[in-house]
Amino acid sequence: MSRRSGILEFAVLGLLRESPMHGYELRKRLNTSLGVFRAFSYGTLYPCLKTLVANGWLIEEPGSTPEDALAAPLAGRRAKIVYRLTAEGKEHFEELLSQTGPDAYEDETFAARFAFFGQTSRDVRMRVLEGRRSRLEERLEKMRASLARTRERLDDYTLELQRHGMESVEREVRWLNELIESERAGRDLKGPPSGGSAQQHTTSGSTGGLPRSGDIPGADSPDETAT
């Protein structure tokens, strides 16, 4: 399984833990709530759903809304399928939530993991945040060393791009420091409303939905281009 498909499975399980959904509704939530999935299609989502059903982590049920019930006789189409998390799927998702290895804080996965921090225990959140910070501090040190070696050979525009990349990483490190300090002080960010989606603060003093790649400093990794 590729890392991207693994992230998609994780996000699908996390969203369906909140409530059962149609494929269309699930795709909409993934597109609007998690920036890393903005460009994916039904051709990506439905194979993922089929795999999760085959593994016993999801079940398919006929839609229960009046529109779904009328879909087949009136339009000659099958009623929409609703996907529901099974007990085994919930257990598997909780196991994924507890993981704190490098895959939890890499560029491709951190935004998705952070999006479900409201369902994650404090000690796991701390390890993921500290791992992410450590990874970025290492990257920042390499960027500074590279810039010091090549500064004289760079034109103004390339130099400015390098600086922009460094500033992006520095900004995310500051943001992570604030989050870690809050966690250590026992201050939770605003959790999801009862029965609602996993909305939460993404930076100190600001609110919003699940973090998009643009909401989390450095999630689009401009520094990778810069280096």
Side-chain angles (χ1 to χ4, degrees), residues 147 153-165 226:
L147 183 60
R153 301 195 300 270
L154 300 178
D155 62 64
D156 290 343
Y157 292 101
T158 304
L159 183 61
E160 191 61 32
L161 183 62
Q162 292 270 11
R163 288 171 175 163
H164 174 70

Side-chain angles (χ1 to χ4, degrees), residues 13-81:
L13 292 172
L15 290 175
L16 291 177
R17 188 186 187 189
E18 299 169 14
S19 65
M21 296 183 201
H22 300 303
Y24 173 79
E25 181 184 3
L26 186 57
R27 179 175 180 263
K28 184 177 179 181
R29 288 288 307 279
L30 289 165
N31 275 331
T32 58
S33 299
L34 292 168
V36 70
F37 298 114
R38 278 181 294 207
F40 90 105
S41 65
Y42 283 114
T44 304
L45 175 60
Y46 281 104
C48 172
L49 290 170
K50 294 299 182 183
T51 297
L52 295 176
V53 170
N55 288 339
W57 297 330
L58 301 182
I59 57 173
E60 297 176 327
E61 299 176 339
S64 57
T65 65
E67 292 82 0
D68 294 335
L70 292 173
L74 294 182
R77 294 183 288 110
R78 292 190 306 167
K80 291 180 181 178
I81 298 298

Side-chain angles (χ1 to χ4, degrees), residues 107-209:
D107 290 346
E108 301 89 345
T109 54
F110 178 69
R113 283 301 306 267
F114 189 87
F116 295 98
F117 262 22
Q119 303 179 43
T120 306
S121 64
R122 186 186 302 277
D123 63 320
V124 171
R125 294 198 302 264
M126 279 290 294
R127 288 197 291 270
V128 173
L129 291 172
E130 289 175 340
R132 176 67 176 171
R133 180 177 64 179
S134 177
R135 180 60 50 87
L136 291 182
E137 287 174 340
E138 292 174 4
R139 182 181 302 169
L140 191 57
E141 183 178 350
K142 292 178 181 178
M143 293 174 70
R144 287 169 175 162
S146 175
L147 183 60
R149 290 194 306 269
T150 61
R151 181 188 298 272
E152 300 302 325
R153 301 195 300 270
L154 300 178
D155 62 64
D156 290 343
Y157 292 101
T158 304
L159 183 61
E160 191 61 32
L161 183 62
Q162 292 270 11
R163 288 171 175 163
H164 174 70
M166 288 178 56
E167 289 171 359
S168 296
V169 179
E170 289 169 345
R171 184 169 61 251
E172 184 174 355
V173 170
R174 290 194 298 270
W175 175 71
L176 290 167
N177 284 335
E178 292 174 2
L179 290 174
I180 291 169
E181 182 181 351
S182 293
E183 293 287 348
R184 286 176 175 165
R187 298 191 299 269
D188 286 317
L189 300 185
K190 184 179 180 182
S194 177
S197 63
Q199 292 185 336
Q200 56 188 302
H201 296 278
T202 56
T203 56
S204 212
S206 64
T207 61

